[in-house]
Amino acid sequence: MVYREHPHDDCPQPLLRLSGVSKQFSGVRALHDVGLRLFPGEVHALMGQNGAGKSTLIKVLTGVFPADGGEMLLGGQAIAPASPQDAQALGISTVYQEVNLCPNLSVAENIFAGRYPRKGPIGAWRIDWAGMNRQAEEWLAKLNIRIDVTRRLDSYAVAVQQMVAIARALSVSAKVLILDEPTSSLDEDEVARLFDVLRRLRGEGMAILFVTHFLEQVYAISDRITVLRNGELVGEYQAAMLGPTALITAMVGRELAASQGQAQARPVPAGAVPVLEMKGLGERGQLQPVDLSVHAGEVVGLGGLLGSGRTELARLLFGLSSADSGELRVDGQAVAFKTPADAVRHGLGLCPEERKADGIVAELSVRENIALALQARHGMGKFLSREQQAELAERYVKRLGIKTASIDTPIGLLSGGNQQKAMLARWLATEPRLLVLDEPTRGIDVAAKQEIMDEILALAEGGMAVVFISSEMSEVVRVSNRIAVLRDRRKVGELPAGSSEQAVYHLIAADA
Ligand SMILES: Nc1ncnc2c1ncn2[C@@H]1O[C@H](COP(=O)(O)OP(=O)(O)OP(=O)(O)O)[C@@H](O)[C@H]1O
Ligand SMILES: [Mg+2]
C-alpha cells in the first residue's frame, strides 16, 4: 500500500494500524483492501462521499461486525474485537453516526450505562447514584452543557443528546476516540467547545478519528486526512498539504463544477394569493406570533440559530403541534391542521429534521419508504401497486443519486446520507405545492449538497413554494428568494434575495 509522505514516516509504529480490510454485504462491496493509520496525539479526518464506507470501516474496527479479511494492530498487537464493548475494553471509545443511547433512561444513566459507579464494601456494594450524577455533570460541564442529568434523555433536544453521547465516549478513559459525524446537529458554539476538548485530548496523546461533511471543520481541527471512495482507499494526506479543492477531487474522483445558481428576488404579482400565509400564528412557550407568507415559486429561507424557533415554526404549520394564537391560510382559505395528514391533504409536505425519529422506517425497503407519503396522501382507498411504487422509487433513486444495492433493500442498511436523500425523495414524490425542508442536507456530502441546492432552485422554478431551513447559512442565502430571520422564538425581520450571511447574522444579533 502506498502512503503519501508525512512526518510520522520515521515513526515505526502507529498506535492503530489497519491493513487490507475488506467487507462485503450481500451484493455490496462496502470496503476493499482499506488501510488506516492512527498515531498518538493526532486528530485524523476520515473523509468520503455518502456510501464511501466510512461508517463501515468504523464498525469493523469497533467490533460491530467482523471484517471479511484484513488485519488490525493496536500498539503492535493484533486485535479482533467481537463487540463495541470489547473495543472499549481495548481502549477504543466510539460515538456512532446513529446515536444509540436509551431515550427512556436518565442522562447520567446513559453516560454510565454498563459501568455504574459503585460504593460500599466488596460484597455489599450499591450503585452510587449521587456520585454518578455528579460525575455526569462534570463530564457535560467540560462541553459547557449544564442540564439536569436526572431527567430522561428524550426530554432534551437532539443536539443535547449528541453531546451526551460525546460525554459518554469521553468519560471512558481511552487511547483511541472515534467520532462518526458528531457535529451534524451541533451549532457553532457547541462545535467550538467540542473542538477545545478534542485539542486537549490530542495534547494528552489520544488518537482521534473524526468523520464530518463540513470541510471547514476538517481544516479547523485535523492533522491528517484519509480519503475513501467507493469502499477503496484513495490516500492518506497531511491536512496542511491538501487544500479543499484537492480534497473534494480526491473524494469525488473528479473536479466539482463551481456552484451555480443563486436565488434572485421574486417580485410577487399584485393581488397574488400566497400558497401559505401565517397571520400571528404562535404557540405559547414555543413560538411568538409570526406573520409569514410564501408564494408559488418562492423559496423562503428561515435564518436563525439553533433554538431560534425554526423547527417550531415548521411543526406548527404542518399540524405537528397546535397553535394557540393566530391563523393559517392556504390559498387564502383559513385552515386548521390537527394532524400532518390534514396538511398533506392540502398539498403540504414536510421533510423533518430528525430522520431517525420522525422519518425512516428502517425495516421497510427503499421503495416502500419513498412511496410512504404519497400513499398516505391517496388514503386507504387507493393503494399504489408494487409497480407504481417501483417506478416512483427508481425515478428518485436516479434523480437524487441514492446509493443502494436495489430499491428492495431495507432502508436501514443504507449509509446515513443516502437515508437522508430517500427522505427528501419521499416528500418530492407527493409533488407538494408547498414543501417545508428542515435541514435537508444534514449528513449529505459536499457534492450531493450542491446537487440538492440546485434541485430546490429547480423545484421553485417549476412553481413549488418552499420553506427552507438549514444551519448552514451559506445554503440559506443561496437558495432563498426571501429570508425570514428568527431569534429567541420570534421573527425579527426579513431580508431580500442575495443578502450576505453577514447580513443575516447581523439581524440575528441586532439589539439582542
Ligand atoms: N449492514 C449493511 N448491510 C448492507 N449494506 C450495508 C450495510 N451497512 C452499510 N452498507 C452499505 O455499505 C456502503 C457503505 O456504507 P457506509 O455506511 O459505510 O457509508 P458512509 O461512508 O458512512 O456514508 P455516509 O456519509 O452517508 O454516512 C453503502 O453502500 C451501504 O449501503
Ligand atoms: Mg456514515
Side-chain angles (χ1 to χ4, degrees):
M1 198 154 308
V2 182
Y3 288 109
R4 307 281 161 127
E5 262 184 66
H6 75 82
H8 291 293
D9 274 345
D10 50 5
C11 169
Q13 205 180 70
L15 179 54
L16 184 74
R17 178 195 281 273
L18 273 61
S19 50
V21 173
S22 296
K23 178 74 189 176
Q24 183 119 8
F25 297 105
S26 50
V28 183
R29 198 184 73 170
L31 295 173
H32 179 71
D33 192 20
V34 170
L36 177 74
R37 308 189 298 168
L38 287 187
F39 291 86
E42 75 162 335
V43 176
H44 193 121
L46 180 60
M47 302 295 294
Q49 286 190 274
N50 297 133
K54 305 178 297 294
S55 297
T56 304
L57 186 64
I58 288 169
K59 286 177 183 166
V60 162
L61 161 60
T62 58
V64 174
F65 38 59
D68 299 337
E71 193 184 34
M72 300 196 270
L73 300 176
L74 182 68
Q77 304 289 314
I79 56 164
S83 68
Q85 291 72 31
D86 270 5
Q88 191 172 305
L90 289 165
I92 305 172
S93 183
T94 312
V95 178
Y96 294 96
Q97 186 171 8
E98 302 296 339
V99 171
N100 50 351
L101 299 175
C102 302
N104 54 343
L105 295 184
S106 77
V107 167
E109 285 166 325
N110 268 291
I111 293 179
F112 290 100
R115 48 193 182 99
Y116 290 166
R118 300 165 175 187
K119 66 178 182 188
I122 298 168
W125 59 265
R126 288 169 292 127
I127 293 175
D128 179 9
W129 295 107
M132 178 172 86
N133 291 338
R134 198 187 54 247
Q135 288 179 48
E137 280 167 8
E138 285 169 7
W139 281 107
L140 285 164
K142 291 188 209 282
L143 294 163
N144 221 4
I145 302 280
R146 285 164 226 284
I147 53 172
D148 179 353
V149 297
T150 63
R151 273 177 59 189
R152 279 168 61 124
L153 182 74
D154 59 4
S155 64
Y156 292 105
V158 200
V160 175
Q161 298 189 21
Q162 183 93 55
M163 285 299 208
V164 172
I166 293 168
R168 174 179 168 80
L170 297 176
S171 69
V172 178
S173 54
K175 290 178 275 195
V176 178
L177 175 65
I178 301 176
L179 305 157
D180 193 351
E181 291 191 43
T183 57
S184 59
S185 44
L186 305 185
D187 70 18
E188 260 177 61
D189 280 356
E190 290 163 329
V191 171
R193 235 162 273 141
L194 171 63
F195 283 7
D196 283 345
V197 176
L198 295 186
R199 287 191 190 99
R200 207 183 60 230
L201 294 171
R202 166 171 66 190
E204 292 165 8
M206 194 182 267
I208 300 166
L209 184 68
F210 173 64
V211 178
T212 184
H213 289 294
F214 299 104
L215 297 192
E216 327 77 86
Q217 294 182 2
V218 174
Y219 291 104
I221 186 116
S222 313
D223 304 296
R224 290 187 310 129
I225 302 174
T226 289
V227 177
L228 300 182
R229 184 168 73 234
N230 287 328
E232 294 185 12
L233 177 68
V234 178
E236 183 200 78
Y237 313 88
Q238 283 183 63
M241 306 292 280
L242 184 77
T245 313
L247 170 57
I248 292 172
T249 305
M251 284 164 56
V252 181
R254 59 178 161 82
E255 267 181 50
L256 205 59
S259 104
Q260 312 83 10
Q262 153 78 50
Q264 307 294 322
R266 264 186 107 89
V268 177
V273 178
V275 177
L276 186 101
E277 192 171 16
M278 304 172 74
K279 285 186 162 175
L281 199 73
E283 184 188 1
R284 218 163 295 123
Q286 298 297 320
L287 189 70
Q288 302 274 331
V290 164
D291 289 337
L292 185 73
S293 60
V294 192
H295 291 81
E298 193 181 33
V299 180
V300 174
L302 299 186
L305 305 178
L306 213 70
S308 60
R310 297 168 305 178
T311 293
E312 287 72 14
L313 191 153
R315 291 176 61 85
L316 260 187
L317 64 83
F318 200 65
L320 278 163
S321 51
S322 46
D324 48 25
S325 74
E327 191 178 70
L328 186 63
R329 287 168 176 260
V330 172
D331 296 327
Q333 302 290 318
V335 291
F337 298 150
K338 292 205 171 56
T339 66
D342 292 339
V344 170
R345 266 193 296 280
H346 280 82
L348 270 61
L350 167 71
C351 190
E353 180 181 18
E354 252 275 55
R355 68 168 173 262
K356 202 172 166 207
D358 307 326
I360 63 155
V361 187
E363 318 76 56
L364 292 186
S365 66
V366 172
R367 170 176 53 78
E368 290 161 308
N369 269 281
I370 291 180
L372 207 64
L374 186 60
Q375 181 61 66
R377 184 163 175 186
H378 282 329
M380 297 307 249
K382 182 167 165 275
F383 278 104
L384 291 170
S385 69
R386 200 187 160 100
E387 288 68 37
Q388 285 171 314
Q389 289 188 354
E391 188 277 324
L392 197 69
E394 295 286 6
R395 181 147 43 95
Y396 281 99
V397 162
K398 203 159 156 227
R399 185 158 142 198
L400 299 180
I402 298 172
K403 193 176 175 215
T404 178
S406 104
I407 57 168
D408 293 310
T409 304
I411 200 168
L413 301 184
L414 267 54
S415 80
N418 283 296
Q419 293 182 13
Q420 181 69 24
K421 288 188 194 175
M423 286 305 306
L424 183 59
R426 172 190 292 174
W427 290 102
L428 293 179
T430 65
E431 301 185 346
R433 299 180 48 236
L434 179 126
L435 180 60
V436 183
L437 297 169
D438 195 354
E439 302 285 0
T441 60
R442 176 173 293 170
I444 300 272
D445 69 55
V446 254
K449 257 179 198 163
Q450 197 166 316
E451 286 162 19
I452 287 179
M453 294 291 101
D454 290 340
E455 180 81 26
I456 292 169
L457 288 169
L459 289 169
E461 198 62 41
M464 194 184 284
V466 178
V467 175
F468 181 79
I469 303 174
S470 171
S471 351
E472 285 184 74
M473 204 60 87
S474 57
E475 295 183 349
V476 176
V477 300
R478 184 175 157 211
V479 299
S480 304
N481 300 111
R482 201 147 47 83
I483 303 164
V485 180
L486 301 176
R487 184 211 315 144
D488 295 336
R489 297 171 189 265
R490 76 167 73 221
K491 182 176 155 188
V492 293
E494 284 195 8
L495 291 169
S499 298
S500 65
E501 292 179 50
Q502 253 6 72
V504 183
Y505 284 123
H506 200 251
L507 190 51
I508 290 171
D511 51 63

